[in-house]
mmCIF file of all heavy atoms in Angstrom:
data_model
loop_
_atom_site.group_PDB
_atom_site.id
_atom_site.type_symbol
_atom_site.label_atom_id
_atom_site.label_comp_id
_atom_site.label_asym_id
_atom_site.label_seq_id
_atom_site.Cartn_x
_atom_site.Cartn_y
_atom_site.Cartn_z
ATOM 1 N N LEU A 197 8.408 4.463 -3.853
ATOM 2 C CA LEU A 197 8.605 3.391 -4.852
ATOM 3 C C LEU A 197 9.478 3.879 -6.001
ATOM 4 O O LEU A 197 9.100 4.807 -6.740
ATOM 5 C CB LEU A 197 7.258 2.932 -5.398
ATOM 6 C CG LEU A 197 6.331 2.193 -4.428
ATOM 7 C CD1 LEU A 197 4.975 1.949 -5.109
ATOM 8 C CD2 LEU A 197 6.939 0.874 -3.973
ATOM 9 N N PRO A 198 10.646 3.232 -6.216
ATOM 10 C CA PRO A 198 11.441 3.604 -7.400
ATOM 11 C C PRO A 198 10.851 3.070 -8.715
ATOM 12 O O PRO A 198 11.161 3.554 -9.777
ATOM 13 C CB PRO A 198 12.810 2.925 -7.110
ATOM 14 C CG PRO A 198 12.463 1.764 -6.202
ATOM 15 C CD PRO A 198 11.283 2.228 -5.403
ATOM 16 N N GLU A 199 9.973 2.056 -8.613
ATOM 17 C CA GLU A 199 9.329 1.482 -9.758
ATOM 18 C C GLU A 199 7.858 1.187 -9.421
ATOM 19 O O GLU A 199 7.497 1.117 -8.255
ATOM 20 C CB GLU A 199 10.012 0.149 -10.142
ATOM 21 C CG GLU A 199 11.448 0.300 -10.597
ATOM 22 C CD GLU A 199 12.087 -1.043 -10.880
ATOM 23 O OE1 GLU A 199 12.166 -1.850 -9.936
ATOM 24 O OE2 GLU A 199 12.466 -1.280 -12.012
ATOM 25 N N PRO A 200 7.000 1.063 -10.452
ATOM 26 C CA PRO A 200 5.582 0.949 -10.173
ATOM 27 C C PRO A 200 5.130 -0.412 -9.736
ATOM 28 O O PRO A 200 5.310 -1.405 -10.433
ATOM 29 C CB PRO A 200 4.929 1.361 -11.501
ATOM 30 C CG PRO A 200 5.927 0.984 -12.520
ATOM 31 C CD PRO A 200 7.275 1.179 -11.886
ATOM 32 N N ILE A 201 4.517 -0.489 -8.570
ATOM 33 C CA ILE A 201 3.793 -1.689 -8.128
ATOM 34 C C ILE A 201 2.569 -1.190 -7.378
ATOM 35 O O ILE A 201 2.621 -0.174 -6.686
ATOM 36 C CB ILE A 201 4.663 -2.592 -7.212
ATOM 37 C CG1 ILE A 201 3.846 -3.833 -6.778
ATOM 38 C CG2 ILE A 201 5.210 -1.841 -6.016
ATOM 39 C CD1 ILE A 201 4.647 -4.849 -6.019
ATOM 40 N N HIS A 202 1.464 -1.880 -7.536
ATOM 41 C CA HIS A 202 0.222 -1.477 -6.902
ATOM 42 C C HIS A 202 -0.170 -2.533 -5.844
ATOM 43 O O HIS A 202 -0.159 -3.730 -6.126
ATOM 44 C CB HIS A 202 -0.887 -1.341 -7.919
ATOM 45 C CG HIS A 202 -2.233 -0.988 -7.343
ATOM 46 N ND1 HIS A 202 -2.581 0.320 -7.119
ATOM 47 C CD2 HIS A 202 -3.253 -1.733 -6.938
ATOM 48 C CE1 HIS A 202 -3.791 0.344 -6.560
ATOM 49 N NE2 HIS A 202 -4.224 -0.917 -6.475
ATOM 50 N N LEU A 203 -0.517 -2.047 -4.668
ATOM 51 C CA LEU A 203 -1.006 -2.891 -3.610
ATOM 52 C C LEU A 203 -2.357 -2.428 -3.139
ATOM 53 O O LEU A 203 -2.538 -1.221 -2.845
ATOM 54 C CB LEU A 203 -0.031 -2.923 -2.418
ATOM 55 C CG LEU A 203 1.377 -3.466 -2.641
ATOM 56 C CD1 LEU A 203 2.245 -3.145 -1.423
ATOM 57 C CD2 LEU A 203 1.368 -4.959 -2.921
ATOM 58 N N ASP A 204 -3.337 -3.300 -3.108
ATOM 59 C CA ASP A 204 -4.610 -2.985 -2.461
ATOM 60 C C ASP A 204 -4.492 -3.435 -1.008
ATOM 61 O O ASP A 204 -4.395 -4.615 -0.728
ATOM 62 C CB ASP A 204 -5.773 -3.724 -3.141
ATOM 63 C CG ASP A 204 -6.175 -3.037 -4.416
ATOM 64 O OD1 ASP A 204 -6.128 -1.807 -4.494
ATOM 65 O OD2 ASP A 204 -6.554 -3.761 -5.374
ATOM 66 N N LEU A 205 -4.492 -2.464 -0.088
ATOM 67 C CA LEU A 205 -4.306 -2.742 1.336
ATOM 68 C C LEU A 205 -5.671 -2.751 2.021
ATOM 69 O O LEU A 205 -6.369 -1.731 2.041
ATOM 70 C CB LEU A 205 -3.401 -1.691 1.972
ATOM 71 C CG LEU A 205 -2.018 -1.524 1.333
ATOM 72 C CD1 LEU A 205 -1.286 -0.358 1.971
ATOM 73 C CD2 LEU A 205 -1.211 -2.819 1.444
ATOM 74 N N VAL A 206 -6.025 -3.897 2.551
ATOM 75 C CA VAL A 206 -7.262 -4.017 3.339
ATOM 76 C C VAL A 206 -6.918 -3.685 4.780
ATOM 77 O O VAL A 206 -6.095 -4.362 5.412
ATOM 78 C CB VAL A 206 -7.881 -5.418 3.242
ATOM 79 C CG1 VAL A 206 -9.176 -5.518 4.033
ATOM 80 C CG2 VAL A 206 -8.101 -5.802 1.780
ATOM 81 N N VAL A 207 -7.508 -2.614 5.313
ATOM 82 C CA VAL A 207 -7.105 -2.118 6.647
ATOM 83 C C VAL A 207 -8.309 -2.045 7.584
ATOM 84 O O VAL A 207 -9.440 -1.849 7.170
ATOM 85 C CB VAL A 207 -6.441 -0.727 6.565
ATOM 86 C CG1 VAL A 207 -5.188 -0.766 5.687
ATOM 87 C CG2 VAL A 207 -7.423 0.294 6.024
ATOM 88 N N GLU A 208 -7.985 -2.279 8.859
ATOM 89 C CA GLU A 208 -8.930 -1.995 9.951
ATOM 90 C C GLU A 208 -8.293 -0.890 10.797
ATOM 91 O O GLU A 208 -7.281 -1.135 11.456
ATOM 92 C CB GLU A 208 -9.176 -3.229 10.815
ATOM 93 C CG GLU A 208 -10.010 -4.312 10.133
ATOM 94 C CD GLU A 208 -10.270 -5.497 11.049
ATOM 95 O OE1 GLU A 208 -9.839 -5.426 12.234
ATOM 96 O OE2 GLU A 208 -10.836 -6.477 10.599
ATOM 97 N N ASP A 209 -8.871 0.277 10.757
ATOM 98 C CA ASP A 209 -8.258 1.439 11.393
ATOM 99 C C ASP A 209 -6.842 1.644 10.786
ATOM 100 O O ASP A 209 -6.771 1.874 9.584
ATOM 101 C CB ASP A 209 -8.199 1.290 12.909
ATOM 102 C CG ASP A 209 -9.584 1.153 13.503
ATOM 103 O OD1 ASP A 209 -10.500 1.843 12.996
ATOM 104 O OD2 ASP A 209 -9.773 0.378 14.471
ATOM 105 N N GLU A 210 -5.780 1.502 11.544
ATOM 106 C CA GLU A 210 -4.441 1.693 11.007
ATOM 107 C C GLU A 210 -3.724 0.332 10.768
ATOM 108 O O GLU A 210 -2.552 0.314 10.419
ATOM 109 C CB GLU A 210 -3.596 2.551 11.941
ATOM 110 C CG GLU A 210 -4.035 4.021 11.976
ATOM 111 C CD GLU A 210 -3.687 4.750 10.719
ATOM 112 O OE1 GLU A 210 -2.596 4.622 10.214
ATOM 113 O OE2 GLU A 210 -4.562 5.488 10.211
ATOM 114 N N LYS A 211 -4.409 -0.783 11.028
ATOM 115 C CA LYS A 211 -3.802 -2.095 10.880
ATOM 116 C C LYS A 211 -4.122 -2.691 9.536
ATOM 117 O O LYS A 211 -5.270 -2.645 9.087
ATOM 118 C CB LYS A 211 -4.328 -3.024 11.974
ATOM 119 C CG LYS A 211 -3.721 -2.816 13.344
ATOM 120 C CD LYS A 211 -2.332 -3.407 13.446
ATOM 121 C CE LYS A 211 -1.829 -3.323 14.895
ATOM 122 N NZ LYS A 211 -0.436 -3.764 14.969
ATOM 123 N N ILE A 212 -3.106 -3.284 8.886
ATOM 124 C CA ILE A 212 -3.308 -3.944 7.626
ATOM 125 C C ILE A 212 -3.743 -5.388 7.858
ATOM 126 O O ILE A 212 -3.112 -6.125 8.598
ATOM 127 C CB ILE A 212 -2.025 -3.914 6.774
ATOM 128 C CG1 ILE A 212 -1.646 -2.462 6.448
ATOM 129 C CG2 ILE A 212 -2.173 -4.714 5.464
ATOM 130 C CD1 ILE A 212 -0.280 -2.314 5.825
ATOM 131 N N VAL A 213 -4.821 -5.778 7.225
ATOM 132 C CA VAL A 213 -5.354 -7.137 7.366
ATOM 133 C C VAL A 213 -4.907 -8.004 6.187
ATOM 134 O O VAL A 213 -4.609 -9.201 6.369
ATOM 135 C CB VAL A 213 -6.908 -7.111 7.413
ATOM 136 C CG1 VAL A 213 -7.480 -8.544 7.535
ATOM 137 C CG2 VAL A 213 -7.392 -6.256 8.564
ATOM 138 N N GLU A 214 -4.855 -7.427 5.024
ATOM 139 C CA GLU A 214 -4.479 -8.186 3.816
ATOM 140 C C GLU A 214 -3.880 -7.223 2.778
ATOM 141 O O GLU A 214 -4.211 -6.059 2.730
ATOM 142 C CB GLU A 214 -5.690 -8.888 3.233
ATOM 143 C CG GLU A 214 -5.394 -9.840 2.095
ATOM 144 C CD GLU A 214 -6.650 -10.547 1.562
ATOM 145 O OE1 GLU A 214 -7.747 -10.146 1.957
ATOM 146 O OE2 GLU A 214 -6.492 -11.461 0.764
ATOM 147 N N ALA A 215 -2.952 -7.761 1.998
ATOM 148 C CA ALA A 215 -2.367 -6.988 0.918
ATOM 149 C C ALA A 215 -2.463 -7.794 -0.395
ATOM 150 O O ALA A 215 -2.052 -8.959 -0.449
ATOM 151 C CB ALA A 215 -0.887 -6.660 1.183
ATOM 152 N N ILE A 216 -3.027 -7.180 -1.448
ATOM 153 C CA ILE A 216 -3.254 -7.849 -2.726
ATOM 154 C C ILE A 216 -2.414 -7.128 -3.777
ATOM 155 O O ILE A 216 -2.684 -5.960 -4.082
ATOM 156 C CB ILE A 216 -4.726 -7.844 -3.119
ATOM 157 C CG1 ILE A 216 -5.579 -8.479 -1.988
ATOM 158 C CG2 ILE A 216 -4.944 -8.577 -4.428
ATOM 159 C CD1 ILE A 216 -7.048 -8.215 -2.124
ATOM 160 N N PRO A 217 -1.387 -7.785 -4.335
ATOM 161 C CA PRO A 217 -0.506 -7.107 -5.282
ATOM 162 C C PRO A 217 -1.085 -7.092 -6.685
ATOM 163 O O PRO A 217 -1.852 -7.972 -7.080
ATOM 164 C CB PRO A 217 0.794 -7.956 -5.231
ATOM 165 C CG PRO A 217 0.280 -9.323 -4.940
ATOM 166 C CD PRO A 217 -0.931 -9.156 -4.051
ATOM 167 N N SER A 218 -0.716 -6.092 -7.458
ATOM 168 C CA SER A 218 -1.063 -6.003 -8.861
ATOM 169 C C SER A 218 0.129 -5.475 -9.613
ATOM 170 O O SER A 218 0.621 -4.380 -9.345
ATOM 171 C CB SER A 218 -2.260 -5.036 -9.057
ATOM 172 O OG SER A 218 -2.566 -4.895 -10.421
ATOM 173 N N ILE A 219 0.660 -6.275 -10.542
ATOM 174 C CA ILE A 219 1.818 -5.871 -11.322
ATOM 175 C C ILE A 219 1.454 -5.838 -12.795
ATOM 176 O O ILE A 219 0.346 -6.193 -13.202
ATOM 177 C CB ILE A 219 3.026 -6.802 -11.070
ATOM 178 C CG1 ILE A 219 2.686 -8.239 -11.434
ATOM 179 C CG2 ILE A 219 3.455 -6.724 -9.622
ATOM 180 C CD1 ILE A 219 3.850 -9.196 -11.338
ATOM 181 N N GLY A 220 2.378 -5.406 -13.628
ATOM 182 C CA GLY A 220 2.119 -5.371 -15.064
ATOM 183 C C GLY A 220 2.142 -3.989 -15.656
ATOM 184 O O GLY A 220 1.712 -3.772 -16.788
ATOM 185 N N PHE A 221 2.682 -3.015 -14.936
ATOM 186 C CA PHE A 221 2.663 -1.635 -15.413
ATOM 187 C C PHE A 221 3.781 -1.344 -16.394
ATOM 188 O O PHE A 221 3.731 -0.365 -17.131
ATOM 189 C CB PHE A 221 2.733 -0.659 -14.229
ATOM 190 C CG PHE A 221 1.536 -0.745 -13.333
ATOM 191 C CD1 PHE A 221 1.530 -1.528 -12.195
ATOM 192 C CD2 PHE A 221 0.377 -0.025 -13.622
ATOM 193 C CE1 PHE A 221 0.427 -1.615 -11.384
ATOM 194 C CE2 PHE A 221 -0.749 -0.092 -12.832
ATOM 195 C CZ PHE A 221 -0.730 -0.876 -11.713
ATOM 196 N N VAL A 222 4.868 -2.150 -16.356
ATOM 197 C CA VAL A 222 6.000 -1.853 -17.256
ATOM 198 C C VAL A 222 6.383 -3.105 -18.066
ATOM 199 O O VAL A 222 7.550 -3.349 -18.373
ATOM 200 C CB VAL A 222 7.230 -1.322 -16.461
ATOM 201 C CG1 VAL A 222 7.018 0.058 -15.974
ATOM 202 C CG2 VAL A 222 7.560 -2.261 -15.316
ATOM 203 N N HIS A 223 5.380 -3.919 -18.403
ATOM 204 C CA HIS A 223 5.681 -5.097 -19.196
ATOM 205 C C HIS A 223 6.205 -4.709 -20.577
ATOM 206 O O HIS A 223 5.647 -3.835 -21.233
ATOM 207 C CB HIS A 223 4.427 -5.952 -19.363
ATOM 208 C CG HIS A 223 4.615 -7.170 -20.202
ATOM 209 N ND1 HIS A 223 5.435 -8.208 -19.805
ATOM 210 C CD2 HIS A 223 4.153 -7.526 -21.397
ATOM 211 C CE1 HIS A 223 5.431 -9.146 -20.743
ATOM 212 N NE2 HIS A 223 4.659 -8.752 -21.732
ATOM 213 N N ARG A 224 7.336 -5.351 -21.005
ATOM 214 C CA ARG A 224 7.996 -4.924 -22.234
ATOM 215 C C ARG A 224 8.171 -6.034 -23.269
ATOM 216 O O ARG A 224 8.755 -5.813 -24.321
ATOM 217 C CB ARG A 224 9.382 -4.337 -21.877
ATOM 218 C CG ARG A 224 9.290 -3.051 -21.114
ATOM 219 C CD ARG A 224 10.576 -2.795 -20.320
ATOM 220 N NE ARG A 224 10.693 -3.762 -19.246
ATOM 221 C CZ ARG A 224 11.855 -4.132 -18.704
ATOM 222 N NH1 ARG A 224 12.966 -3.654 -19.181
ATOM 223 N NH2 ARG A 224 11.878 -4.992 -17.728
ATOM 224 N N GLY A 225 7.732 -7.218 -22.960
ATOM 225 C CA GLY A 225 7.796 -8.305 -23.911
ATOM 226 C C GLY A 225 9.217 -8.761 -24.251
ATOM 227 O O GLY A 225 9.461 -9.202 -25.406
ATOM 228 N N LEU A 226 10.117 -8.683 -23.287
ATOM 229 C CA LEU A 226 11.527 -9.045 -23.571
ATOM 230 C C LEU A 226 11.669 -10.494 -23.986
ATOM 231 O O LEU A 226 12.506 -10.810 -24.840
ATOM 232 C CB LEU A 226 12.374 -8.752 -22.322
ATOM 233 C CG LEU A 226 12.616 -7.269 -21.997
ATOM 234 C CD1 LEU A 226 13.385 -7.133 -20.694
ATOM 235 C CD2 LEU A 226 13.358 -6.564 -23.125
ATOM 236 N N GLU A 227 10.880 -11.387 -23.415
ATOM 237 C CA GLU A 227 11.039 -12.811 -23.703
ATOM 238 C C GLU A 227 10.559 -13.144 -25.109
ATOM 239 O O GLU A 227 10.908 -14.168 -25.687
ATOM 240 C CB GLU A 227 10.299 -13.656 -22.661
ATOM 241 C CG GLU A 227 10.981 -13.534 -21.288
ATOM 242 C CD GLU A 227 10.220 -14.305 -20.215
ATOM 243 O OE1 GLU A 227 9.177 -14.933 -20.539
ATOM 244 O OE2 GLU A 227 10.647 -14.290 -19.081
ATOM 245 N N GLY A 228 9.746 -12.257 -25.701
ATOM 246 C CA GLY A 228 9.263 -12.504 -27.075
ATOM 247 C C GLY A 228 10.229 -12.053 -28.131
ATOM 248 O O GLY A 228 10.068 -12.357 -29.316
ATOM 249 N N LEU A 229 11.268 -11.304 -27.732
ATOM 250 C CA LEU A 229 12.216 -10.789 -28.696
ATOM 251 C C LEU A 229 13.143 -11.845 -29.281
ATOM 252 O O LEU A 229 13.912 -11.575 -30.214
ATOM 253 C CB LEU A 229 13.066 -9.641 -28.071
ATOM 254 C CG LEU A 229 12.324 -8.298 -27.919
ATOM 255 C CD1 LEU A 229 13.154 -7.324 -27.067
ATOM 256 C CD2 LEU A 229 12.057 -7.707 -29.278
ATOM 257 N N VAL A 230 13.068 -13.076 -28.760
ATOM 258 C CA VAL A 230 13.867 -14.157 -29.328
ATOM 259 C C VAL A 230 13.516 -14.418 -30.774
ATOM 260 O O VAL A 230 14.304 -14.980 -31.531
ATOM 261 C CB VAL A 230 13.705 -15.457 -28.497
ATOM 262 C CG1 VAL A 230 14.293 -15.308 -27.106
ATOM 263 C CG2 VAL A 230 12.266 -15.885 -28.437
ATOM 264 N N THR A 231 12.302 -14.010 -31.193
ATOM 265 C CA THR A 231 11.898 -14.235 -32.565
ATOM 266 C C THR A 231 12.504 -13.195 -33.540
ATOM 267 O O THR A 231 12.469 -13.366 -34.746
ATOM 268 C CB THR A 231 10.355 -14.163 -32.707
ATOM 269 O OG1 THR A 231 9.902 -12.876 -32.294
ATOM 270 C CG2 THR A 231 9.723 -15.227 -31.824
ATOM 271 N N LYS A 232 13.035 -12.097 -32.966
ATOM 272 C CA LYS A 232 13.574 -11.018 -33.791
ATOM 273 C C LYS A 232 15.076 -10.862 -33.689
ATOM 274 O O LYS A 232 15.704 -10.280 -34.580
ATOM 275 C CB LYS A 232 12.890 -9.695 -33.392
ATOM 276 C CG LYS A 232 11.374 -9.696 -33.613
ATOM 277 C CD LYS A 232 10.773 -8.364 -33.212
ATOM 278 C CE LYS A 232 9.278 -8.368 -33.440
ATOM 279 N NZ LYS A 232 8.641 -7.074 -32.995
ATOM 280 N N LYS A 233 15.677 -11.316 -32.604
ATOM 281 C CA LYS A 233 17.094 -11.182 -32.391
ATOM 282 C C LYS A 233 17.742 -12.545 -32.295
ATOM 283 O O LYS A 233 17.177 -13.437 -31.657
ATOM 284 C CB LYS A 233 17.376 -10.391 -31.088
ATOM 285 C CG LYS A 233 16.697 -9.022 -31.014
ATOM 286 C CD LYS A 233 17.267 -8.051 -32.069
ATOM 287 C CE LYS A 233 16.591 -6.685 -31.938
ATOM 288 N NZ LYS A 233 17.097 -5.728 -32.948
ATOM 289 N N ASP A 234 18.944 -12.725 -32.882
ATOM 290 C CA ASP A 234 19.591 -14.017 -32.770
ATOM 291 C C ASP A 234 20.171 -14.243 -31.378
ATOM 292 O O ASP A 234 20.158 -13.315 -30.554
ATOM 293 C CB ASP A 234 20.625 -14.204 -33.871
ATOM 294 C CG ASP A 234 21.839 -13.249 -33.713
ATOM 295 O OD1 ASP A 234 22.303 -13.030 -32.577
ATOM 296 O OD2 ASP A 234 22.305 -12.724 -34.745
ATOM 297 N N PHE A 235 20.703 -15.424 -31.131
ATOM 298 C CA PHE A 235 21.078 -15.760 -29.753
ATOM 299 C C PHE A 235 22.238 -14.915 -29.234
ATOM 300 O O PHE A 235 22.361 -14.687 -28.018
ATOM 301 C CB PHE A 235 21.394 -17.265 -29.624
ATOM 302 C CG PHE A 235 22.698 -17.702 -30.223
ATOM 303 C CD1 PHE A 235 23.863 -17.761 -29.470
ATOM 304 C CD2 PHE A 235 22.774 -18.092 -31.574
ATOM 305 C CE1 PHE A 235 25.046 -18.188 -29.994
ATOM 306 C CE2 PHE A 235 23.956 -18.527 -32.120
ATOM 307 C CZ PHE A 235 25.127 -18.569 -31.340
ATOM 308 N N ASN A 236 23.093 -14.396 -30.119
ATOM 309 C CA ASN A 236 24.159 -13.505 -29.668
ATOM 310 C C ASN A 236 23.612 -12.126 -29.343
ATOM 311 O O ASN A 236 23.974 -11.511 -28.342
ATOM 312 C CB ASN A 236 25.237 -13.391 -30.757
ATOM 313 C CG ASN A 236 26.160 -14.615 -30.776
ATOM 314 O OD1 ASN A 236 26.632 -15.050 -29.750
ATOM 315 N ND2 ASN A 236 26.352 -15.168 -31.962
ATOM 316 N N GLN A 237 22.725 -11.612 -30.176
ATOM 317 C CA GLN A 237 22.125 -10.303 -29.915
ATOM 318 C C GLN A 237 21.278 -10.327 -28.662
ATOM 319 O O GLN A 237 21.176 -9.291 -27.956
ATOM 320 C CB GLN A 237 21.236 -9.889 -31.126
ATOM 321 C CG GLN A 237 22.026 -9.605 -32.389
ATOM 322 C CD GLN A 237 21.107 -9.421 -33.591
ATOM 323 O OE1 GLN A 237 20.050 -10.042 -33.720
ATOM 324 N NE2 GLN A 237 21.526 -8.541 -34.521
ATOM 325 N N MET A 238 20.682 -11.471 -28.341
ATOM 326 C CA MET A 238 19.839 -11.576 -27.131
ATOM 327 C C MET A 238 20.642 -11.316 -25.870
ATOM 328 O O MET A 238 20.037 -10.979 -24.834
ATOM 329 C CB MET A 238 19.183 -12.947 -27.086
ATOM 330 C CG MET A 238 17.907 -13.067 -27.875
ATOM 331 S SD MET A 238 16.606 -11.890 -27.377
ATOM 332 C CE MET A 238 16.293 -12.418 -25.724
ATOM 333 N N THR A 239 21.959 -11.481 -25.892
ATOM 334 C CA THR A 239 22.761 -11.201 -24.724
ATOM 335 C C THR A 239 22.528 -9.787 -24.243
ATOM 336 O O THR A 239 22.388 -9.524 -23.045
ATOM 337 C CB THR A 239 24.256 -11.378 -25.036
ATOM 338 O OG1 THR A 239 24.510 -12.713 -25.531
ATOM 339 C CG2 THR A 239 25.134 -11.148 -23.807
ATOM 340 N N TYR A 240 22.428 -8.841 -25.188
ATOM 341 C CA TYR A 240 22.280 -7.430 -24.836
ATOM 342 C C TYR A 240 20.815 -7.098 -24.538
ATOM 343 O O TYR A 240 20.535 -6.156 -23.764
ATOM 344 C CB TYR A 240 22.823 -6.570 -25.958
ATOM 345 C CG TYR A 240 24.251 -6.953 -26.296
ATOM 346 C CD1 TYR A 240 24.542 -7.701 -27.438
ATOM 347 C CD2 TYR A 240 25.290 -6.630 -25.441
ATOM 348 C CE1 TYR A 240 25.851 -8.093 -27.720
ATOM 349 C CE2 TYR A 240 26.581 -7.035 -25.713
ATOM 350 C CZ TYR A 240 26.875 -7.764 -26.859
ATOM 351 O OH TYR A 240 28.160 -8.159 -27.108
#
């Protein structure tokens, strides 16, 4: 994995029955920065 993602793999022997994803390890609040940066600065 080049980036963090977590999967809970439900397995029977070596066979996968279900995969449950869990994300949120690198949340950075980029969409909230609109309150601090003007619309031109938001480009970057």
Side-chain angles (χ1 to χ4, degrees):
L197 293 174
E199 296 176 298
I201 180 174
H202 178 86
L203 298 170
D204 282 325
L205 303 175
V206 181
V207 300
E208 288 182 4
D209 298 323
E210 291 289 314
K211 283 283 187 186
I212 297 170
V213 179
E214 188 179 9
I216 304 166
S218 176
I219 60 176
F221 295 94
V222 289
H223 178 66
R224 294 157 291 154
L226 290 175
E227 292 177 0
L229 284 170
V230 294
T231 61
K232 298 180 179 179
K233 306 293 182 181
D234 66 41
F235 74 92
N236 283 312
Q237 293 171 326
M238 275 302 296
T239 304
Y240 306 104

